[in-house]
Amino acid sequence: MRTQVAIIGAGPAGLLLAWLLRRQGIAAVVLERRSREYCERRVRAGVLEQGTVDTLAEAGVGARLKAEGQVHHGIELRFGGAGHRIAFEELVPGRGITVYGQQEIVKDLIKANLEAGVDLRFEIDDVAIGDMADHPHLTFGGERLDCDFIAGCDGFHGVSRPAIPPGAIRVFEKTYPFAWLGILANVRPSTRELIYSASERGFALHSMRSDEVSRFYLQVPPQTRPEDWAEDEIWAELKARHETVPDFELNTQGEITSVDVAAMRSFVAEPMRHGRLLLAGDAAHIVPPTGAKGLNLAVADIRVLARSLTDYYRHGREDLLDRYSEICLRRVWRAQHFSWWMTSLLHTSDHATLYDRRLQRADLDYVVSSRAQATTLAENYVGLPFSADESG
């Protein structure tokens, strides 16, 4: 078998790349370890930057997102017994966020790709990368797929990044001393916008997926398992961390449908290209979820990668491919800093001294009292505009 671009991973990054290439007449094959059903049900991020929404709309796969996504024009920082709204419409006019589950994006992209005849293959669990230089290829199930380029869109634990020889890639990472307990519940949201609550008990986040489904997060120790928390304990802790302002009552009338634990880490692999292998999304970088940047960074990567490959096939140009890593990493490191800052701003730590806690409170007070600092938060949260290098 032969194709132009072999894509490992049918998450948002791999599926969006396949779709954008198909629109340019470039052939791709997508290989995914999990089943289609698993990919379409896997609950992940749900906060989309303005640029991500615009990208999906421009690509022709944003109809359901536009119809069902919830547009938000602010978030609330809750601490010290008060809530403080960061008003996007005032600080960054014309830009906001949209709440729309990652699994819904995956459904939209799978449907579009299949209808367009893109070769998507699920439950392929033995993919191996062959030559990444002169004769790039993949092997799986006794078959061989030759290609011009390999796109590693298979996440942090995939096969793409480990295939790069030691010494050819540099890794930067940080592990945080806490995790997030993620809760999905069939409960009407108690808020119209996301609430980021900082308290002595730890951080909590109230998000949503629809008018009937809420998504919550609790800061927990890193060794936590989902089964460590009973349902009544989850609701009690959510109430204790969110009901810290007058007249606010958390709605708990509904069923918790899933509980998971997300590790908190920062990770960057440089460069994002080795020969004819190009990494994108979580295969190349991870951010703590506090700043809601993971999915959005993947989409930004794919914008650059799709444009670079299109230039190669249409015009024989490799200059954008040569600069792929450089262009993407500028946004990646900005997002790394923002995600680290948001995490440090809102979380407690057993290792924090009284001095550390007073600094944290001073930082929170400054964010909600300084228009300049609030604008910094807002413009990073909704997503920085794409540069000329990132625009198609």
Side-chain angles (χ1 to χ4, degrees):
M1 294 185 297
R2 178 167 183 82
T3 191
Q4 290 171 296
V5 182
I7 302 171
I8 309 175
L15 292 168
L16 180 59
L17 178 59
W19 173 248
L20 293 176
L21 294 178
R22 176 66 180 83
R23 284 164 61 92
Q24 297 299 328
I26 300 168
V29 175
V30 182
L31 304 178
E32 167 58 46
R33 181 168 63 93
R34 303 284 192 171
S35 68
R36 175 180 176 179
E37 181 183 28
Y38 178 90
C39 293
E40 293 183 336
R41 291 188 176 184
R42 177 172 45 190
V43 176
R44 289 292 186 270
V47 175
L48 308 184
E49 294 178 355
Q50 187 68 55
T52 297
V53 173
D54 294 344
T55 297
L56 295 171
E58 292 162 5
V61 286
R64 197 162 69 93
L65 164 60
K66 182 178 180 180
E68 300 178 15
Q70 297 182 331
V71 179
H72 291 195
H73 298 287
I75 59 172
E76 180 183 327
L77 299 183
R78 186 171 291 185
F79 63 94
H84 308 268
R85 185 170 184 264
I86 305 298
F88 301 154
E89 72 272 21
E90 297 177 10
L91 301 167
V92 282
R95 299 181 69 80
I97 59 165
T98 299
V99 175
Y100 187 70
Q102 174 175 311
Q103 71 274 19
E104 303 306 321
I105 295 174
V106 167
K107 291 176 188 175
D108 296 341
L109 287 169
I110 287 177
K111 182 174 183 292
N113 275 294
L114 289 176
E115 288 179 351
V118 176
D119 191 348
L120 304 185
R121 304 189 184 197
F122 295 94
E123 300 182 77
I124 307 296
D125 61 1
D126 59 347
V127 175
I129 296 177
D131 185 5
M132 291 175 276
D134 300 325
H135 304 287
H137 64 274
L138 303 177
T139 59
F140 58 95
E143 298 187 67
R144 171 172 167 145
L145 175 63
D146 290 283
C147 54
D148 300 323
F149 297 95
I150 301 168
C153 305
D154 50 343
F156 185 76
H157 299 289
V159 301
S160 297
R161 191 181 65 255
I164 298 174
I169 196 167
R170 188 177 182 187
V171 167
F172 305 83
E173 56 187 326
K174 175 181 176 61
T175 302
Y176 296 85
F178 37 76
W180 274 13
L181 188 74
I183 302 105
L184 195 67
N186 291 331
V187 173
R188 290 185 65 84
S190 308
T191 174
R192 293 182 180 273
E193 297 176 337
L194 279 71
I195 301 174
Y196 286 76
S197 295
S199 73
E200 292 297 320
R201 302 179 68 93
F203 170 76
L205 172 61
H206 184 344
S207 183
M208 62 288 295
R209 288 293 179 267
S210 71
D211 291 337
E212 304 294 334
V213 178
S214 295
R215 180 68 163 161
F216 303 99
Y217 296 96
L218 287 169
Q219 177 188 342
V220 294
Q223 67 274 15
T224 299
R225 302 170 302 168
E227 57 268 27
D228 294 339
W229 286 76
E231 187 166 328
D232 58 343
E233 293 175 322
I234 290 173
W235 287 126
E237 193 61 27
L238 284 169
K239 287 174 70 68
R241 298 190 194 185
H242 280 303
E243 293 180 352
T244 57
V245 300
D247 303 321
F248 179 84
E249 183 177 354
L250 188 73
N251 181 17
T252 63
Q253 301 304 307
E255 176 190 8
I256 292 178
T257 56
S258 74
V259 180
D260 56 77
V261 176
M264 300 284 281
R265 65 164 67 92
S266 299
F267 177 92
V268 181
E270 293 187 6
M272 293 169 57
R273 178 185 180 183
H274 180 74
R276 294 293 174 122
L277 170 64
L278 300 113
L279 304 178
D282 286 0
H285 41 74
I286 295 284
V287 289
T290 324
K293 290 289 165 260
L295 170 60
N296 296 293
L297 282 178
V299 170
D301 289 349
I302 295 306
R303 284 179 65 99
V304 179
L305 183 52
R307 181 185 173 204
S308 301
L309 290 168
T310 299
D311 269 14
Y312 173 83
Y313 284 109
R314 279 191 174 181
H315 309 296
R317 292 175 48 189
E318 295 197 44
D319 53 311
L320 276 178
L321 279 170
D322 291 339
R323 297 178 57 223
Y324 167 68
S325 186
E326 169 204 339
I327 295 169
C328 291
L329 286 170
R330 286 201 298 265
R331 179 173 292 269
V332 167
W333 278 111
R334 174 85 290 276
Q336 287 286 342
H337 180 269
F338 177 68
S339 300
W340 163 82
W341 176 71
M342 282 283 284
T343 302
S344 304
L345 183 70
L346 296 164
H347 291 72
T348 61
S349 170
D350 292 339
H351 305 293
T353 65
L354 181 59
Y355 178 83
D356 295 329
R357 293 178 186 274
R358 293 300 293 269
L359 283 180
Q360 183 184 49
R361 178 56 186 268
D363 203 2
L364 282 164
D365 287 337
Y366 185 51
V367 169
V368 300
S369 62
S370 164
R371 184 179 180 89
Q373 190 71 344
T375 301
T376 295
L377 191 158
E379 68 180 4
N380 281 274
Y381 195 91
V382 304
L384 299 174
F386 292 120
S387 66
D389 286 335
E390 295 171 304
S391 299

